[in-house]
């Protein structure tokens, strides 16, 4: 069998040029000497571990640390060849990623110069290696200097933010974005290792579901080897499910390097998106054998599912995904890189964030085009959790070069990443870029066909996908339409940024008829504990310079106040401001996602900007950089329920609507309660049984809106309960904005039941948007509306206490701001 030897030890680094030491603040001369390095890693994180720089995220240290990305750096290690490796056979040196402009030197011989962080680099080095004392060096050139030189050579292009960024194939957000800092990282960003294959090695692999029927599915398996198959070799295909095992013995295609065959799977278990059924995965093994000896093998998880994108229905435009022959409403969030320093994002962080997305009833994650193609484990987890992936190629908010060297670089990038990711059942669509055509049309007032970079998304990428992944939908950009305006509501998909970014209030969403919305959002502060950790003591207030520094959108802080003043009271204490901006974000997202879900199947998707953050910041994220969900996260969780209840006011009549976006019929009850906000008394108005078929919307009740509600003295709480009387979904209707209301103050009781890992929450008066914070606990539900005589059980994860002391609880409600 083949061998792999990781080269992660004994790395050291220093400034490449001694004269650059004068450019280092305070002239810290030790930077010109060798320092210990970690691989995978970056220069910034290595300097941080050496305690030579402060925390890059604290205060405004971002500004003070820009010099790091302006200089060149030198990495070096030494190693002995493993005893099980032979210099008489091929040995490959493999870098899974290099960030970004790098020169690789092995035993004083230059191997290559690289220019793309999104590529894997593989070199046959058996003739350069020695049994002992091998020296491997990587010299990194400043990404800023390289990009500026390329821009000077080819000319400045229309680009949002820093214009030079488009000339380097590096994660574009590292130049700074409207939610993230600028840290131009350098380093060996993913694993590096020696690899010695056996006589033959399996390389590229692809899997496709060709069709599914009532009792069978047709699949295609394809792979290639690094050497031609011989007549002595046999191929074994093994497919294992939870209750079945299928084996195929195949004759090798002698003289060829590619194997392809189709198979019928009887009674297949299908892969479904989260909320629609089991996301079943099969274990696939491919073995190349000779005389019962395994020469090489490949193991993958595969899912059987079909997917198509319908753009027309009855000759009218639509934008609807059909998975396993069922229309699926896409509900989820946009993913940005989970740290400014990519090597710090490990499997645990991926899993926590994606699990939170799944538990928020999301079924789709969009990997945004200004970040990075994520590591394999990210897509493995999405497969496991049933999270559909909308996968952008890494181009964002700009025109891009079309010179030959750049296009060849991009071609290799697209080919490599499509081959690497194609087999994942979670990946539903490839998308050419983020907002390039739309921004060109808006700012240049010309057809997007004249945009530099047009041929990348409309010629180069689709040609590659036609060969490598022809069954999966491809969309040139997001947003994109068949109209002159790429962001037209008449066809295709849209980004809805009139709300928030263009100062339009979120309630205007009721006029939006988008077919599919891939970006929309609303800002709030990071959680109190998170934002406090980066604010110096004299800056811990809402209009401090550093608090505003941790909001990267132009006039972002002003928007927080403007939109908060429209709906909720403004409180200047930092903890109060955090709660209220997060509540306002939740109310805005609730309004939007419920509107589009209740328009299904006219509207077919709502993907929130954004799921996560890369540093402590006021942003559009639902989960902050400490992996703490905001109040808005829990409100989205409620509004993304597959069984959803909402209201629609028509004159003096309030209609109660139920949407069933699941594949199963729902049977339950609708209960309507009137809450007197002055006294706290609750009167049950009605309780009605309801049956809603799969993928249908139904009007259940209608009732008059009383003067008390119109005048703000009361409101309706509408609860959807299952046949066991458990609350499935809850909503409310108020006659005026919350900021105008007065509410009685509740006494909330919280009891820990540690054996069951739950808390039981009750109240003597109606309590609205009850947000519970407790040390390091993570709650599965939060921000709930609780009525008297109810006991809400909420499961938690984490350790309650390490001593006999009661855990410290902080509980906030909307009521306390409306006295």
């Amino acid at each position: 069998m083949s061998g792999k030897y990781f080269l992660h030890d004994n790395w050291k680094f220093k400034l490449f040029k001694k004269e650059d030491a004068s450019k280092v603040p305070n002239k810290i001369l030790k930077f010109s000497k060798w320092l210990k390095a970690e691989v995978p890693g970056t220069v910034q994180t290595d300097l941080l571990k050496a305690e030579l720089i402060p925390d890059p995220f604290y205060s405004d240290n971002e500004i003070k640390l820009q010099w790091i990305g302006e200089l060149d750096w030198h990495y070096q290690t030494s190693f002995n060849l493993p005893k099980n490796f032979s210099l008489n056979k091929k040995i490959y040196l493999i870098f899974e990623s290099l960030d970004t402009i790098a020169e690789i030197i092995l035993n004083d011989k230059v191997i290559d110069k690289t220019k793309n962080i999104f590529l894997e680099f593989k070199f046959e080095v058996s003739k350069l290696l020695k049994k002992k004392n091998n020296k491997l060096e990587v010299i990194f050139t400043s990404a800023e200097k390289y990009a500026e030189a390329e821009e000077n050579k080819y000319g400045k292009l229309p680009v949002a933010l820093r214009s030079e960024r488009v000339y380097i194939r590096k994660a574009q957000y590292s130049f700074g974005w409207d939610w993230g800092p600028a840290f131009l990282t350098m380093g060996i960003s993913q694993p590096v290792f020696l690899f010695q294959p056996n006589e033959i090695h399996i390389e590229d692999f692809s899997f496709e579901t060709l069709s599914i029927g009532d009792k069978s599915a047709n699949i295609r398996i394809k792979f290639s080897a690094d050497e031609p198959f011989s007549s002595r070799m046999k191929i074994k295909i093994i497919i294992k499910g939870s209750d079945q095992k299928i084996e195929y013995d195949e004759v090798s295609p002698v003289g060829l390097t590619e194997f392809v065959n189709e198979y019928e799977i009887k009674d297949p278990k299908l892969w479904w998106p989260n909320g629609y059924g089991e996301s079943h995965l099969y274990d696939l093994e491919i073995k190349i054998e000779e005389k019962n000896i395994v020469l090489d093998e490949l193991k993958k998880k595969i899912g059987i599912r079909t997917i198509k994108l319908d753009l027309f229905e009855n000759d009218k435009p639509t934008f609807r995904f059909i998975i396993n022959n069922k229309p699926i409403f896409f509900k989820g969030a946009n993913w940005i890189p989970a740290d400014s320093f990519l090597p710090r994002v490990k499997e645990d962080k991926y899993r926590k964030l994606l699990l939170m997305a799944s538990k928020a009833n999301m079924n789709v994650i969009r990997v945004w085009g200004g970040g990075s193609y994520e590591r394999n484990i990210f897509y493995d987890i999405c497969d496991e959790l049933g999270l559909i992936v909308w996968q952008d190629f890494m181009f964002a908010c700009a025109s891009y070069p079309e010179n030959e060297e750049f296009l060849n670089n991009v071609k290799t990038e697209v080919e490599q990443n499509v081959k690497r990711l194609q087999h994942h059942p979670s990946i539903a669509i490839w998308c050419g870029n983020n907002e390039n055509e739309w921004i060109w049309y808006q700012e240049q007032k010309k057809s997007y066909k004249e945009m530099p970079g047009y041929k990348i998304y409309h010629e180069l990428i689709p040609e590659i996908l036609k060969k490598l992944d022809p069954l999966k939908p491809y969309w040139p950009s997001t947003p994109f339409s068949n109209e002159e305006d790429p962001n037209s509501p008449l066809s295709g998909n849209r980004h809805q940024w009139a709300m928030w970014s263009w100062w339009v209030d979120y309630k205007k969403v009721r006029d939006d008829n988008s077919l599919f919305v891939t970006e929309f959002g609303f800002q709030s502060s990071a959680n109190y504990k998170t934002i406090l950790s980066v604010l110096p003591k004299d800056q811990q207030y809402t209009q401090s310079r550093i608090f505003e520094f941790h909001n990267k959108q132009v006039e972002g802080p002003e928007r927080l106040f403007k939109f908060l003043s429209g709906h909720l009271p403004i409180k200047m204490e930092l903890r109060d401001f955090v709660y209220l901006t997060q509540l306002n974000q939740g109310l805005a997202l609730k309004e939007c996602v419920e509107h589009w879900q209740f328009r299904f199947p006219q509207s077919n998707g709502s993907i929130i900007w954004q799921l996560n953050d890369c540093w402590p910041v006021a942003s559009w994220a639902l989960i902050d950089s400490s992996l703490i969900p905001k109040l808005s996260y829990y409100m989205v969780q409620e509004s993304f329920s597959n069984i959803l209840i909402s209201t629609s006011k028509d004159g003096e009549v309030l209609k109660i609507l139920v949407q069933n976006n699941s594949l199963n019929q729902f049977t339950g009850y609708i209960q309507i309660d009137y809450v007197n906000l002055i006294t706290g008394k609750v009167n049950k108005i009605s309780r009605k049984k309801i049956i809603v078929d799969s993928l249908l919307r139904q009007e259940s009740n209608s009732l008059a809106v009383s003067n008390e509600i119109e005048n703000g003295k009361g409101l309706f709480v509408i609860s959807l309960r299952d046949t066991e009387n458990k609350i499935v979904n809850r909503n409310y209707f108020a006659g005026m904005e919350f900021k105008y209301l007065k509410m009685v103050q509740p006494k909330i009781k919280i009891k820990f039941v540690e054996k069951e890992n739950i808390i039981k929450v009750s109240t003597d008066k109606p309590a609205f948007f009850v947000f519970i914070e407790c040390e390091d606990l993570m709650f599965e539900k939060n921000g709930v509306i609780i009525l008297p005589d109810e006991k809400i059980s909420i499961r938690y994860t984490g350790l309650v206490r390490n001593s006999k002391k009661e855990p410290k609880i902080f509980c906030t409600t909307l009521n306390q701001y409306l006295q």
Side-chain angles (χ1 to χ4, degrees):
M1 295 289 287
S2 56
K4 181 185 283 190
Y5 181 71
F6 286 96
L7 301 175
H8 291 171
D9 297 328
N10 306 316
W11 283 94
K12 54 188 179 179
F13 79 111
K14 66 177 182 178
L15 280 172
F16 179 56
K17 300 175 182 177
K18 287 185 178 180
E19 58 267 29
D20 280 346
S22 63
K23 302 176 184 177
V24 177
N26 301 322
K27 297 184 179 180
I28 305 174
L29 295 179
K30 64 172 62 178
F31 281 1
S32 62
K33 299 179 181 180
W34 289 112
L35 300 166
K36 185 178 180 180
E38 182 177 354
V39 170
T42 69
V43 173
Q44 285 88 344
T45 50
D46 283 334
L47 291 172
L48 181 63
K49 286 180 180 176
E51 299 182 346
L52 293 171
I53 62 170
D55 180 356
F57 293 164
Y58 185 75
S59 189
D60 58 355
N61 286 344
E62 173 198 354
I63 298 171
K64 302 168 186 175
L65 298 177
Q66 290 304 299
W67 60 269
I68 300 171
E70 297 169 0
L71 305 180
D72 302 337
W73 297 87
H74 187 180
Y75 277 68
Q76 180 178 302
T77 189
S78 60
F79 62 93
N80 297 328
L81 195 68
K83 292 181 179 180
N84 61 327
F85 277 58
S86 170
L87 290 173
N88 297 320
K89 296 181 180 180
K90 288 182 179 179
I91 300 176
Y92 293 98
L93 172 63
I94 298 176
F95 291 88
E96 290 190 2
S97 174
L98 285 167
D99 182 12
T100 295
I101 308 304
E103 182 177 69
I104 305 164
I105 304 169
L106 178 60
N107 292 331
D108 299 320
K109 172 74 173 179
V110 176
I111 297 176
D112 199 2
K113 297 180 180 180
T114 72
K115 298 179 180 180
N116 194 324
I117 192 176
F118 307 125
L119 290 182
E120 176 182 279
F121 298 97
K122 181 178 179 181
F123 312 102
E124 207 288 295
V125 293
S126 57
K127 293 181 180 180
L128 296 177
L129 288 169
K130 303 179 292 185
K131 287 187 177 182
K132 291 188 176 182
N133 300 320
N134 292 283
K135 183 173 69 171
L136 178 60
E137 301 170 85
V138 184
I139 299 168
F140 292 98
T141 298
S142 161
E144 181 177 349
K145 288 194 297 188
Y146 172 85
E148 288 176 348
E150 290 292 291
E151 183 178 55
N152 290 334
K153 179 179 178 181
Y154 291 105
K156 194 170 184 177
L157 294 169
V159 177
L161 306 169
R162 292 172 62 171
S163 61
E164 76 272 18
R165 66 178 173 85
V166 298
Y167 279 100
I168 184 170
R169 295 310 295 146
K170 177 178 175 63
Q172 301 285 269
Y173 84 109
S174 62
F175 286 82
W177 219 261
D178 56 6
W179 38 258
F183 287 113
L184 289 174
T185 52
M186 284 172 278
I188 301 168
S189 48
Q190 288 192 37
V192 52
F193 54 91
L194 295 176
F195 175 70
Q196 184 157 62
N198 209 325
E199 180 181 341
I200 191 168
H201 173 61
I202 299 171
E203 292 190 320
D204 301 326
F205 161 79
S206 72
F207 174 85
E208 293 170 306
T209 303
L210 302 176
S211 64
I212 56 173
D214 293 338
K215 295 184 178 181
S216 67
N218 293 308
I219 65 172
R220 179 189 293 137
I221 294 171
K222 182 179 179 181
F223 68 91
S224 61
D226 62 342
E227 297 288 343
F229 294 99
S230 74
S231 59
R232 306 185 309 275
M233 296 175 183
K234 291 184 179 180
I235 296 170
K236 180 170 284 188
I237 309 287
I238 304 171
I239 300 173
K240 292 186 287 187
S242 56
D243 57 0
Q244 63 182 153
K245 180 178 180 180
I246 309 164
E247 292 192 30
Y248 303 95
D249 290 316
E250 303 287 357
V251 177
S252 63
V254 178
L256 302 178
T257 58
E258 184 176 276
F259 172 89
V260 59
N261 209 351
E262 297 179 9
Y263 302 94
E264 181 183 32
I265 307 297
K266 294 182 179 179
D267 300 317
K269 290 190 174 180
L270 304 181
W271 186 92
W272 287 100
N274 184 37
Y276 287 88
E278 182 186 1
S279 307
H280 185 79
L281 295 172
Y282 287 87
D283 292 304
L284 171 68
E285 293 180 39
I286 300 173
K287 297 181 180 181
I288 302 176
E289 298 180 345
E290 182 178 310
K291 295 180 180 180
N292 296 322
I293 297 174
V294 177
L295 301 179
D296 198 23
E297 66 178 351
L298 178 80
K299 294 182 179 181
K300 295 287 185 181
K301 295 279 189 181
I302 57 172
I304 296 176
R305 66 101 182 93
T306 58
I307 186 162
K308 67 173 183 171
L309 174 59
D310 284 346
L311 298 177
F312 290 94
E313 182 181 50
N314 300 323
D315 296 326
K316 292 183 178 179
T318 186
F319 198 91
R320 184 180 308 135
F321 288 89
I322 310 296
I323 296 180
N324 300 334
N325 301 322
K326 297 287 186 181
I328 303 295
F329 186 92
F330 277 33
K331 50 185 180 178
N334 285 267
W335 173 277
I336 65 167
D339 200 310
S340 290
F341 307 106
L342 286 172
R344 297 202 301 201
V345 184
K346 311 295 185 184
E347 178 178 350
D348 181 61
K349 193 168 195 177
Y350 278 136
R351 188 167 293 278
K352 285 179 179 177
L353 283 166
L354 293 171
L355 188 59
M356 280 190 272
S358 172
K359 288 185 175 181
N361 298 310
M362 297 182 187
N363 62 26
V364 63
I365 293 292
R366 174 184 167 228
V367 179
W368 169 72
S372 180
Y373 308 96
E374 294 297 338
R375 291 165 52 209
N376 292 336
I377 187 62
F378 172 92
Y379 302 94
D380 291 340
I381 297 170
C382 288
D383 291 345
E384 173 190 331
L385 296 177
L387 291 172
I388 302 161
V389 175
W390 174 304
Q391 179 66 53
D392 282 6
F393 291 98
M394 294 301 119
F395 306 90
C397 302
S399 302
Y400 278 83
E402 292 183 339
N403 63 75
E404 185 177 1
E405 181 185 12
F406 188 87
L407 292 179
N408 287 336
N409 197 358
V410 167
K411 182 176 183 290
T412 305
E413 170 191 324
V414 172
E415 289 173 340
Q416 273 199 19
N417 284 285
V418 171
K419 288 177 181 179
R420 176 172 69 94
L421 301 175
Q422 179 276 340
H423 70 279
H424 287 279
S426 55
I427 296 183
I429 183 171
W430 300 104
C431 181
N433 67 72
N434 174 78
E435 296 188 344
N436 293 0
E437 282 84 341
W438 180 36
I439 290 175
W440 172 269
Y441 173 79
Q442 281 184 303
E443 297 185 355
Q444 305 302 317
K445 311 301 181 186
K446 298 178 183 177
S447 168
Y448 60 80
K449 294 181 180 180
E450 300 179 41
M451 174 188 69
Y454 171 85
K455 66 170 62 175
I456 296 173
Y457 328 113
H458 297 266
E459 297 175 15
L460 188 151
I461 293 176
E463 287 174 3
I464 293 171
L465 290 173
K466 189 175 181 180
K467 296 176 182 177
L468 299 181
D469 198 13
L471 298 185
K472 202 168 280 123
Y474 172 69
W475 199 238
S477 180
T478 178
F480 194 72
S481 74
N482 296 323
E483 320 306 319
E484 182 182 9
D485 179 0
N487 200 29
S488 169
L490 301 179
S491 63
N493 73 311
R494 294 195 72 215
H495 289 189
Q496 176 48 278
W497 283 116
M499 295 173 292
W500 181 267
S501 285
W502 297 353
W503 299 90
V504 174
D505 188 72
Y506 64 76
K507 291 203 170 179
K508 291 293 184 180
V509 75
R510 299 169 188 175
D511 301 325
D512 186 278
N513 295 320
S514 299
L515 303 177
F516 192 107
V517 183
T518 318
E519 280 189 23
F520 67 101
F522 221 77
Q523 276 194 8
S524 69
S525 171
N527 285 291
Y528 181 70
K529 179 181 176 182
T530 300
I531 199 64
L532 204 65
S533 70
V534 295
L535 298 178
K537 285 188 177 180
D538 66 344
Q539 295 290 309
Q540 294 176 1
Y541 58 97
T542 56
Q543 289 186 295
S544 73
R545 183 179 69 84
I546 299 301
F547 183 76
E548 292 190 352
F549 182 80
H550 284 258
N551 185 327
K552 289 298 186 179
Q553 187 185 26
V554 175
E555 297 184 331
E558 291 84 347
R559 286 177 174 83
L560 284 173
F561 280 96
K562 190 268 186 188
F563 288 114
L564 186 58
S565 70
H567 302 281
L568 295 166
I570 293 178
K571 302 293 180 182
M572 298 302 290
E573 288 296 323
L574 186 59
R575 185 181 278 275
D576 296 332
F577 190 76
V578 168
Y579 173 86
L580 289 167
T581 59
Q582 290 187 7
L583 175 57
N584 205 37
Q585 179 188 29
L587 293 172
L589 297 178
K590 173 183 183 299
E591 187 86 23
C592 292
V593 301
E594 290 180 8
H595 168 73
W596 286 312
Q597 281 194 92
F598 274 92
R599 290 193 77 252
F600 178 73
Q602 285 74 39
S603 293
N604 295 281
S606 58
I607 306 180
I608 294 168
W609 185 269
Q610 64 209 61
L611 180 71
N612 58 313
D613 271 327
C614 65
W615 77 315
V617 64
S619 78
W620 297 268
L622 298 172
I623 304 165
D624 72 21
S625 61
S626 300
L627 306 189
I628 303 174
K630 298 180 181 179
L631 170 57
S632 52
Y633 164 89
Y634 295 103
M635 297 175 71
V636 165
Q637 179 187 57
E638 184 80 0
S639 294
F640 269 159
S641 171
N642 262 356
I643 314 297
L644 189 63
I645 193 166
S646 189
T647 61
S648 175
K649 190 169 180 286
D650 185 5
E652 300 302 316
V653 176
L654 186 69
K655 297 177 181 179
I656 311 298
L657 307 172
V658 180
Q659 178 85 27
N660 181 0
N661 280 336
S662 76
L663 298 181
N664 301 309
Q665 186 185 76
F666 173 78
T667 302
Y669 299 88
I670 290 180
Q671 181 172 318
I672 304 173
D673 293 294
Y674 172 76
V675 176
N676 186 311
L677 296 176
I678 307 301
T679 65
K681 186 176 180 181
V682 178
N683 292 326
K684 185 186 293 184
I685 302 298
S686 68
R687 179 181 170 91
K688 177 183 177 182
K689 186 175 182 178
I690 186 170
I691 299 173
V692 187
D693 287 334
S694 167
L695 303 177
L696 285 179
R697 177 175 63 249
Q698 184 172 313
E699 182 179 330
S700 171
N701 300 55
S702 61
L703 64 160
V705 178
S706 65
N707 289 332
E708 287 80 4
I709 288 181
E710 293 284 14
N711 295 331
K713 295 180 179 179
L715 54 72
F716 289 129
V717 172
I718 307 108
S719 305
L720 189 62
R721 297 176 180 267
D722 63 16
T723 53
E724 296 179 356
N725 207 38
K726 293 179 181 177
I727 298 173
V728 175
N729 195 239
R730 174 167 274 178
N731 215 322
Y732 67 90
F733 176 81
M736 57 176 62
E737 296 290 350
F738 281 123
K739 66 179 181 178
Y740 299 127
L741 304 182
K742 300 294 182 184
M743 289 185 177
V744 66
Q745 299 306 297
K747 294 180 180 178
I748 294 173
K749 294 182 179 179
I750 300 173
K751 181 182 178 182
F752 278 87
V753 185
E754 291 187 57
K755 291 182 180 179
E756 301 177 38
N757 277 13
I758 63 171
I759 57 171
K760 291 189 176 181
V761 189
S762 59
T763 179
D764 66 333
K765 302 291 184 182
F768 291 86
F769 308 110
V770 180
F771 192 52
I772 301 167
E773 299 166 273
C774 180
E775 297 177 357
D776 295 322
L777 298 189
M778 188 81 72
F779 297 101
E780 288 194 357
K781 288 175 60 181
N782 216 330
V784 293
I785 297 172
I786 308 177
L787 301 180
D789 301 323
E790 291 181 340
K791 284 189 177 180
I792 305 295
S793 294
I794 300 175
R795 188 164 299 279
Y796 65 80
T797 56
L799 187 65
V800 173
R801 60 171 76 91
N802 294 315
S803 66
K804 294 182 179 180
K805 293 182 180 179
E806 284 295 316
K808 187 177 180 181
I809 297 171
F810 200 90
C811 181
T812 312
T813 68
L814 175 60
N815 302 57
Q816 68 195 59
Y817 301 105
L818 300 178
Q819 300 186 48

